[in-house]
Amino acid sequence: MASASASPCTCGAPTPSLRCPLALSLPFASFPPAVRLAAPPLLPRRLAVSRPRAASALEALVLESDDEDEDGDGYEEEEEEEAGAGLFQGEAWAAGAEERDAVRSPELQVFELEELPEKWRRSRIAWLCKELPAYKHSTFTRILNAQRKWITQDDATYIAVHCLRIRNNDAAFRVYSWMIRQHWYRFNFALATRVADCLAREGKVEKCREVFDAMVKQGRVPAESTFHILVVAYLSVPGCRCLEEACTIYNQMIQMGGYKPRLSLHNSLFRALVSKTGGTAKHNLRQAEFIYHNIVTSNLAVHEDIYVGLIWIHSYQDVIDRDRIQALRDEMKRVGFEETTDVLVSLMRAFSKEGDIKETEATWHRLLKSGCELPAQAYICRMELYARTGEPMKSLETFKEIKGQNVPPNVASYHKIIEIMAKAREIETAEKLMDEFVESHMKHLMPAFLSLMYLYLDLNMHEKLEQTFTKCLGRCRPNRILYTIYLESLVRIGNVTKAEEIFSEMHKNGTIGTNAKSCNIMLRGYLSAEDYQKAEGIYDLMCKKKYDVPVDSLEKLQSGLLTKKKVVKPPKPVSMKLDEEQREILIGLLLGGTQIESHSQKGVHIVNFKFQEDSNAHSVLRAHIHERFFEWLPSAFRSFSDDSEIPYRFSTIPHAHFGFFADQFFLKGQPVLPKLVHRWLSPRVLAYWFMFGGFRLQSGDIVLKVSGGNIDGVERIVNSLQTQSLTCKVKRKGRFFWIGFPGSNADSFWKIIEPYVLDSFSGSTVQENYSIGSDGSQDSDADYEDDTRRYDTETEE
């Protein structure tokens, strides 16, 4: 779970030299290395409090084992199930008992209770220590507020430390959060460190990150212990959702703090990187190289699997760096490591991408001589090699050889051989293989269907293309590529009426959507049919979305309108303005937690869209939001040929138009609820709020997370929902409010939002494991207390 203020992961990679210096750019100023800060003494005869050296269960969990990646929505991740799934997922090589000793944190000193001269003060502090941990947040805060006349920072520090001693870290965090809002508070680095460390050990990464960021804002370098434990905590989040955050903290630990992490931390982070599937792990090359560089320059032992993992990631790159791979192989040989099956398969993958027959075959024979069980990926590499060298039938022979060797063909092998046969225009063979693939009852048929449709499109076999399109819709979830191929086919045969229906369906269906390519196809269709009025409408849409218009299409449109005494205006800067749909989408996302940050230019703001990588629903939502806000994105986030390339984090251009939303939803950088939010809760706003920050429980109840705001704002939302005959309950969990719709109210809520919910959400009864509380814990289905009126404005954290 990432904090709202989490900075983007900054990853670096060393040069091919193994021991070269490396500098990474971070959003923080560099600090002198090895900074050690300690809190000044408060009173004489303090009791020193330092955390135990024994490794926590949470830390050991990360160091010893990581869960395998959850299946993603895209077929690429599933294809990699056998064709390069993450390495070392069941190994414990990253954990060494001698490496798991916790690094020491700054010493925190607090007074002994009997040192206080006033008996009444001792009694009150003792009473607070006894009573406070038993209360919930609202009563907890009210009790502390009632002590404002006499309580001091030393007193509050003692209470916080007492809560830490009894391992009630939530209570300690509440005391600490209350302290920092008082006028007498002076920053206590040692206390902040202790609170952050305890929270991270318990897996409450968001609260820990909040304290961590507060230290940085104070100009202090967090302790090595805080960096170390926070990285471990991020790695512990299920599904590797916080891997990017772990990389960010790791990089800052080295560059901002000047610390040298223990070998176990290097190994654990590297292991998390290579546990991703090959298609996604290739983007982690720079970070993996940076970890290797730090291990080498720290004179630590490089584990064999570090070399294996680096070569594996290099083999998935679009451009193979042979010199780097050879340097890693030479280093392995120098230290006495043998090249394992994983290394040989990685080498085959790299050589086959370059079409190097000699090296690929030599590596293949090495695999045969090793006597190991030949993996299917090795056969796939040979198939790709023969296809690149113009011998597709040899690829087919290799595919048949897989069956002869009792190696069951997998999804990746069927995808590859059907793609090769389609490109070779072996129609009958490709169709036979496709039928065999369908009959195997394997999942993820979409890539094979697309290969066939491209083949039929190239050969102008439009009837078969339409049949394949219909068959694919019956077996696979539709996507934009599938519809775009069919749209192209309809335009080529001149069926503009049907093409118009398909384009309209794409545009209305948020799961599919339109893009520059589909708009250009439809524009050509209208021009070929000489329907210049509709062509002009598509042209205006493309200008608004800032899509590129081909010169030949523009000339045809110009000449066509001239015959009707109309002149098409050339593309001109469009007045940037959010339409009604975009405004409602943005409000829904902001209610669910989307962030807006101010730009260096006064009055200008940027919207930061951030989606969960392990969520199938968010994967679809990110492509939809990218398409809907395309004209507001900078060029770096617009040049993606495939939806799978769209990042899970992207931002808009800086623009003054977002200032209204920043003023309404944020106050001094913290999220709040607008006073008029109850007037903005349209069905579309509620739908996007649900898709981004809500979920459905197994019981059928629907829950929405409220980002920011106090009980007054939540009450306005609740009252507005009640006017729509929606009864809901409210619960506060950590820093967030949750609005729940139990029983029949969930059905009523769903009926309201269903017209605006993307198709991928409609058939889902239970969403993925969203983090429900700010501490990452989950509420039970019926654990929603109707305490809407039990909070006051002072309970706001």
Side-chain angles (χ1 to χ4, degrees):
M1 187 185 313
S3 168
S5 58
S7 58
C9 179
T10 309
C11 304
T15 60
S17 173
L18 299 184
R19 299 180 182 272
C20 64
L22 176 66
L24 299 180
S25 59
L26 287 171
F28 301 94
S30 299
F31 287 83
V35 176
R36 297 291 184 268
L37 302 173
L42 301 178
L43 289 174
R45 292 182 59 246
R46 305 291 190 225
L47 173 65
V49 180
S50 60
R51 71 177 181 83
R53 290 182 57 81
S56 65
L58 173 65
E59 183 175 357
L61 173 67
V62 179
L63 296 177
E64 290 177 359
S65 64
D66 286 330
D67 292 335
E68 294 185 4
D69 285 345
E70 298 178 6
D71 292 338
D73 179 51
Y75 65 81
E76 182 182 37
E77 288 79 358
E78 293 296 337
E79 180 179 346
E80 300 297 342
E81 180 180 353
E82 298 89 355
L87 298 180
F88 327 128
Q89 294 188 8
E91 304 294 333
W93 60 272
E98 71 281 359
E99 297 293 343
R100 294 201 300 266
D101 291 340
V103 290
R104 299 191 67 86
S105 59
E107 188 176 84
L108 172 62
Q109 294 181 331
V110 294
F111 58 78
E112 292 284 8
L113 199 58
E114 60 269 16
E115 293 178 358
L116 295 177
E118 306 100 327
K119 183 178 179 180
W120 65 269
R121 185 180 294 272
R122 294 199 301 269
S123 298
R124 287 193 176 186
I125 293 176
W127 179 81
L128 288 172
C129 289
K130 179 182 178 181
E131 295 295 328
L132 279 177
Y135 289 105
K136 291 186 177 181
H137 181 271
S138 56
T139 307
F140 193 104
T141 305
R142 282 201 296 267
I143 291 175
L144 284 176
N145 287 340
Q147 319 304 317
R148 284 174 173 169
K149 291 183 179 180
W150 65 270
I151 199 169
T152 66
Q153 180 165 343
D154 288 355
D155 301 334
T157 300
Y158 182 91
I159 298 170
V161 171
H162 170 79
C163 294
L164 293 175
R165 287 172 178 167
I166 64 175
R167 298 189 177 182
N168 194 328
N169 298 326
D170 279 332
F173 178 73
R174 289 171 184 170
V175 175
Y176 177 80
S177 299
W178 181 84
M179 285 176 60
I180 63 178
R181 296 197 302 271
Q182 308 311 309
H183 66 89
W184 39 255
Y185 176 74
R186 297 295 179 268
F187 182 72
N188 187 332
F189 177 75
L191 176 62
T193 298
R194 182 75 192 284
V195 171
D197 290 358
C198 291
L199 290 170
R201 282 197 205 97
E202 201 171 332
K204 299 179 178 179
V205 292
E206 186 171 300
K207 290 179 179 177
C208 175
R209 186 61 181 270
E210 184 178 331
V211 181
F212 177 93
D213 291 339
M215 295 185 204
V216 175
K217 289 180 181 178
Q218 288 288 334
R220 312 296 287 270
V221 180
E224 184 177 1
S225 64
T226 307
F227 279 107
H228 182 100
I229 301 171
L230 184 53
V231 172
V232 171
Y234 273 131
L235 291 177
S236 303
V237 176
C240 294
R241 282 180 296 178
C242 293
L243 178 58
E244 187 175 351
E245 300 296 340
C247 294
T248 300
I249 301 300
Y250 171 87
N251 295 341
Q252 292 176 359
M253 181 180 186
I254 295 169
Q255 297 183 315
M256 183 175 72
Y259 300 119
K260 292 186 177 181
R262 290 173 175 260
L263 180 60
S264 61
L265 192 66
H266 294 297
N267 286 344
S268 294
L269 185 57
F270 187 90
R271 184 167 179 263
L273 292 174
V274 298
S275 293
K276 291 268 189 181
T277 55
T280 55
K282 70 177 184 179
H283 304 297
N284 297 328
L285 175 62
R286 289 173 61 83
Q287 184 67 49
E289 285 280 14
F290 183 47
I291 295 173
Y292 171 79
H293 167 80
N294 291 324
I295 295 175
V296 171
T297 54
S298 299
N299 294 320
L300 299 173
V302 182
H303 195 279
E304 177 182 4
D305 288 327
I306 296 289
Y307 294 113
V308 176
L310 270 178
I311 294 175
W312 179 75
I313 295 178
H314 270 285
S315 70
Y316 274 101
Q317 301 304 306
D318 297 328
V319 178
I320 302 298
D321 188 346
R322 274 219 184 186
D323 293 338
R324 181 59 180 148
I325 293 177
Q326 187 59 47
L328 292 169
R329 295 177 66 190
D330 293 341
E331 186 68 16
M332 284 186 69
K333 184 176 181 181
R334 187 186 65 80
V335 297
F337 292 140
E338 297 291 334
E339 293 184 345
T340 62
T341 301
D342 287 325
V343 173
L344 294 178
V345 172
S346 297
L347 293 176
M348 284 191 66
R349 185 184 300 111
F351 295 144
S352 64
K353 281 187 175 182
E354 294 187 326
D356 192 329
I357 300 178
K358 181 179 178 181
E359 290 292 346
T360 306
E361 290 294 343
T363 309
W364 168 257
H365 289 301
R366 287 184 61 188
L367 271 175
L368 293 176
K369 291 180 181 179
S370 67
C372 66
E373 183 178 348
L374 295 177
Q377 179 59 31
Y379 290 96
I380 295 174
C381 291
R382 296 187 75 202
M383 290 159 53
E384 183 172 2
L385 171 69
Y386 296 138
R388 287 179 179 273
T389 56
E391 299 178 283
M393 300 315 295
K394 277 194 174 183
S395 299
L396 182 60
E397 292 175 7
T398 303
F399 178 78
K400 293 178 179 178
E401 188 179 341
I402 298 179
K403 300 178 181 179
Q405 296 295 329
N406 294 322
V407 178
N410 55 25
V411 173
S413 61
Y414 271 109
H415 287 173
K416 180 57 65 175
I417 190 60
I418 292 174
E419 177 191 349
I420 291 172
M421 291 296 102
K423 288 182 177 179
R425 298 192 174 183
E426 296 289 341
I427 303 175
E428 294 183 3
T429 304
E431 291 175 342
K432 182 179 179 181
L433 289 169
M434 186 70 219
D435 293 338
E436 183 181 319
F437 188 22
V438 172
E439 292 172 0
S440 69
H441 300 292
M442 294 183 185
K443 296 181 179 180
H444 306 289
L445 306 173
M446 178 64 77
F449 276 123
L450 294 180
S451 296
L452 274 183
M453 290 181 66
Y454 278 123
L455 169 63
Y456 295 144
L457 184 65
D458 291 339
L459 299 179
N460 293 320
M461 301 173 67
H462 299 287
E463 291 185 5
K464 281 199 170 185
L465 188 148
E466 185 171 10
Q467 294 171 3
T468 306
F469 173 78
T470 304
K471 188 185 298 184
C472 183
L473 288 182
R475 294 180 176 272
C476 306
R477 178 185 296 173
N479 62 22
R480 189 181 299 167
I481 300 176
L482 178 71
Y483 270 79
T484 302
I485 297 173
Y486 184 46
L487 184 68
E488 176 70 31
S489 172
L490 292 172
V491 169
R492 286 190 184 183
I493 62 176
N495 192 348
V496 179
T497 303
K498 181 66 174 179
E500 188 175 13
E501 294 177 6
I502 294 297
F503 182 83
S504 178
E505 182 180 348
M506 293 173 65
H507 190 70
K508 292 179 181 178
N509 191 330
T511 305
I512 302 171
T514 55
N515 57 7
K517 186 173 183 179
S518 56
C519 287
N520 272 307
I521 294 173
M522 200 65 242
L523 177 60
R524 284 194 286 105
Y526 286 136
L527 291 176
S528 62
E530 297 184 356
D531 191 340
Y532 298 109
Q533 182 177 357
K534 291 183 178 180
E536 188 178 12
I538 288 289
Y539 172 78
D540 292 339
L541 172 65
M542 295 179 69
C543 289
K544 176 186 175 183
K545 302 295 285 186
K546 295 186 177 180
Y547 293 150
D548 293 331
V549 182
V551 177
D552 57 340
S553 296
L554 188 59
E555 291 176 350
K556 289 181 181 178
L557 179 61
Q558 179 75 59
S559 60
L561 292 177
L562 284 175
T563 60
K564 296 188 176 184
K565 299 182 180 180
K566 291 183 65 177
V567 179
V568 60
K569 298 179 181 179
K572 62 180 181 180
V574 180
S575 176
M576 297 294 290
K577 184 178 181 181
L578 290 168
D579 57 33
E580 181 180 359
E581 180 184 0
Q582 290 173 328
R583 289 196 298 271
E584 292 187 340
I585 291 174
L586 187 56
I587 291 172
L589 298 182
L590 288 169
L591 287 171
T594 292
Q595 299 293 308
I596 295 182
E597 66 179 36
S598 58
H599 192 255
S600 56
Q601 182 180 350
K602 188 176 181 180
V604 176
H605 294 81
I606 299 172
V607 180
N608 294 320
F609 297 108
K610 179 181 178 182
F611 303 94
Q612 297 179 10
E613 292 190 39
D614 65 329
S615 168
N616 294 343
H618 269 219
S619 179
V620 175
L621 185 61
R622 93 187 195 282
H624 171 68
I625 297 300
H626 184 272
E627 184 264 323
R628 286 294 186 258
F629 286 84
F630 188 87
E631 69 269 28
W632 293 93
L633 303 180
S635 57
F637 291 126
R638 298 174 65 192
S639 55
F640 300 112
S641 58
D642 189 357
D643 289 350
S644 62
E645 299 177 2
I646 299 173
Y648 282 82
R649 291 186 180 186
F650 54 88
S651 304
T652 65
I653 57 174
H655 201 278
H657 201 65
F658 301 121
F660 169 79
F661 298 95
D663 294 339
Q664 294 293 321
F665 284 91
F666 293 90
L667 178 63
K668 296 181 179 179
Q670 297 300 317
V672 296
L673 288 176
K675 292 183 179 181
L676 297 178
V677 65
H678 55 287
R679 298 184 181 179
W680 302 341
L681 300 180
S682 66
R684 181 183 278 116
V685 169
L686 295 174
Y688 282 88
W689 185 5
F690 164 75
M691 289 189 287
F692 184 74
F695 59 94
R696 188 192 289 271
L697 299 174
Q698 292 182 350
S699 63
D701 297 349
I702 290 177
V703 183
L704 302 176
K705 182 180 76 171
V706 184
S707 178
N710 53 30
I711 192 61
D712 293 333
V714 175
E715 282 187 344
R716 286 193 291 269
I717 293 177
V718 170
N719 293 334
S720 175
L721 294 173
Q722 287 177 345
T723 60
Q724 303 181 49
S725 300
L726 293 173
T727 302
C728 54
K729 295 184 178 181
V730 177
K731 177 172 181 172
R732 183 160 191 167
K733 183 77 172 178
R735 296 186 299 112
F736 298 103
F737 286 98
W738 292 85
I739 298 178
F741 300 89
S744 60
N745 292 289
D747 297 333
S748 300
F749 179 80
W750 181 258
K751 289 179 181 178
I752 291 176
I753 68 172
E754 187 174 13
Y756 302 98
V757 173
L758 302 182
D759 290 345
S760 59
F761 290 81
S762 301
S764 176
T765 57
V766 181
Q767 295 293 346
E768 294 88 356
N769 288 329
Y770 284 99
S771 299
I772 298 179
S774 61
D775 56 358
S777 61
Q778 290 190 355
D779 298 325
S780 62
D781 291 1
D783 190 25
Y784 287 89
E785 181 180 356
D786 190 4
D787 51 4
T788 304
R789 299 190 177 276
R790 292 179 55 195
Y791 299 98
D792 53 37
T793 56
E794 292 179 339
T795 66
E796 183 181 358
E797 287 190 10

